[in-house]
Amino acid sequence: MPLLTKQYAEHFQLCTFYRLPYHQSKSQMFSSRVKYTYQGIFSRPANRVPTRERWELEADQTTIALNDIANTNMFNVPYATTVADASAMTNIFNVVNAQAEQGGRLLCVESTGGRNRKGIVSTNYNLGVNLYFNMPLHPNPQKFTITAFCTSMRVVRGIGHEGCDWDINGPLTGYLNQGWKLVDINIPQHEAGLSQHPDPRWRFAVLLEPIHLNVIWFFEKDQARIAANDMTPYYQVTVVNLDVYLAYKSAFSCRMDLNITSLIREMGHKGWSVVTVLDIPSTKQTNMGTAKGKVLVFFQRPLVEVPPLH
C-alpha cells in the first residue's frame, strides 16, 4: 500500500489496480500458496491546475459470496439485473455506501487471491476482495452513488482452447446514456480461479461443457444529478482488444508478455483514462508450453466537460 499511496504526493491518482493476467507461480506441487503479481496504473492531468480538492488512497478488504461453476447463478436472481440487494454483494455495498457518505469515490474492486470454502463439501466460497477508494481531504466533497449490474458470460472450451461470449455494449449503452460513469468490471469466478485450470494443457480434465460466469459492472453518478433526474450523457467508453502470449514454465508457473505502457500514453494524449484491464477466459494453445490469451483494456473520457449542478 505505501508504494501506491506515495504517488499521491506527486498529484497522481489511481486509475485501476489489477492482478496481471496469467502471471502466477506455485512454489511446491501440493502447496496451497500461489504467488500473484499486481500492477497499479496512475494518472494526472498533463497541465494540472491546482484546486482545493485533495485526496488520499484507501483500501478496504471484504468478501464477496460466490459459487463455483456447478452453480451458474451466483446471486440467485436473473442475469442482467441489479445486484445491489443481492446477498452476495452485501459486504461490498456496506463498505461502498459507508465510504460514499463521506464523499469517497470507488476506484476498483480487485480479488486478493484468497478464498474460503463455506463447508467441506460446499460449492459456496467467500472470495476476498480489496475495494480501492479516493477519499476526500477537502471539505464538502461531491457525493456519488454506486450501483452494480450483473450480466452473464458464456464460456465454451475444448482441449487446448476456450472462448467467451458476452454483451459489452448493452450495459455500457444503458448506463452511459443515462449519465452514469463506468467505475470497474469484475468477473469474480474467473478471478478466483474457479472457472479454469491455469494451464490449458490440463483443461481436458475439467468440465468441457459450456459454463456461465457472472460479470459485475460498477457505475457511479453524482447524487445531485440523480435527485434532479438529470439523464444527460457525459462519458464515452472504448475498448482495446489485446493478444497476449503465455509461457508455462510448469503446470504451476506461468508468465505473459503484457505491456500496455505505450498504449496508455497514446490514449492519454487523446484524453482517455484507463478504467480497467480485464482478463477474460479466452485462450488457445499454440505450442507445448505456450498459448495465446486475450486482455481487454477499457478507456473512458468525458463527452463534454461535466459542469457542476447548482
Side-chain angles (χ1 to χ4, degrees), residues 39-79:
Q39 187 173 72
I41 299 176
F42 294 80
S43 70
R44 69 179 178 188
N47 299 312
R48 192 184 75 86
V49 177
T51 68
R52 72 178 186 89
E53 292 187 353
R54 294 174 55 244
W55 302 90
E56 66 178 357
L57 182 64
E58 182 173 318
D60 294 302
Q61 188 167 346
T62 186
T63 59
I64 181 172
L66 67 152
N67 300 328
D68 67 10
I69 59 177
N71 185 341
T72 62
N73 197 338
M74 180 174 65
F75 297 113
N76 297 318
V77 292
Y79 288 122

Side-chain angles (χ1 to χ4, degrees), residues 170-224:
L172 284 178
T173 302
Y175 277 86
L176 294 178
N177 284 350
Q178 297 179 49
W180 292 82
K181 180 181 180 182
L182 179 64
V183 174
D184 196 18
I185 306 170
N186 193 273
I187 312 173
Q189 291 109 321
H190 185 55
E191 286 200 9
L194 299 177
S195 63
Q196 63 177 10
H197 192 282
D199 188 338
R201 294 172 295 174
W202 287 59
R203 290 182 188 158
F204 66 89
V206 186
L207 183 66
L208 298 181
E209 295 181 358
I211 62 172
H212 291 81
L213 304 180
N214 295 97
V215 183
I216 310 173
W217 305 71
F218 293 90
F219 295 88
E220 72 167 14
K221 190 173 182 179
D222 186 343
Q223 291 181 7

Side-chain angles (χ1 to χ4, degrees), residues 72-270:
T72 62
N73 197 338
M74 180 174 65
F75 297 113
N76 297 318
V77 292
Y79 288 122
T81 185
T82 179
V83 299
D85 298 324
S87 60
M89 295 284 287
T90 299
N91 292 342
I92 285 182
F93 274 96
N94 284 343
V95 175
V96 167
N97 291 336
Q99 299 290 46
E101 280 302 307
Q102 302 177 57
R105 305 280 297 276
L106 179 66
L107 300 172
C108 58
V109 179
E110 180 60 33
S111 167
T112 63
R115 68 176 190 261
N116 295 316
R117 191 190 297 267
K118 295 182 181 179
I120 297 177
V121 295
S122 173
T123 60
N124 298 324
Y125 292 83
N126 281 324
L127 170 66
V129 292
N130 278 334
L131 310 181
Y132 292 87
F133 294 89
N134 267 345
M135 298 302 297
L137 297 176
H138 53 276
N140 303 318
Q142 281 181 282
K143 293 185 178 181
F144 288 76
T145 292
I146 298 292
T147 190
F149 186 78
C150 181
T151 59
S152 175
M153 173 184 284
R154 183 174 183 266
V155 180
V156 180
R157 54 169 61 125
I159 298 177
H161 69 89
E162 68 179 357
C164 62
D165 180 30
W166 59 308
D167 180 17
I168 295 178
N169 291 329
L172 284 178
T173 302
Y175 277 86
L176 294 178
N177 284 350
Q178 297 179 49
W180 292 82
K181 180 181 180 182
L182 179 64
V183 174
D184 196 18
I185 306 170
N186 193 273
I187 312 173
Q189 291 109 321
H190 185 55
E191 286 200 9
L194 299 177
S195 63
Q196 63 177 10
H197 192 282
D199 188 338
R201 294 172 295 174
W202 287 59
R203 290 182 188 158
F204 66 89
V206 186
L207 183 66
L208 298 181
E209 295 181 358
I211 62 172
H212 291 81
L213 304 180
N214 295 97
V215 183
I216 310 173
W217 305 71
F218 293 90
F219 295 88
E220 72 167 14
K221 190 173 182 179
D222 186 343
Q223 291 181 7
R225 297 190 184 280
I226 295 176
N229 199 28
D230 182 356
M231 309 290 277
T232 307
Y234 286 108
Y235 296 96
Q236 59 181 326
V237 171
T238 190
V239 185
V240 178
N241 192 329
L242 300 177
D243 290 330
V244 295
Y245 292 89
L246 324 174
Y248 297 91
K249 299 181 181 298
S250 69
F252 307 102
S253 180
C254 177
R255 293 291 183 271
M256 41 72 76
D257 67 346
L258 179 65
N259 186 341
I260 58 175
T261 301
S262 60
L263 172 64
I264 292 173
R265 288 176 177 169
E266 177 185 349
M267 296 296 284
H269 289 316
K270 299 175 182 178

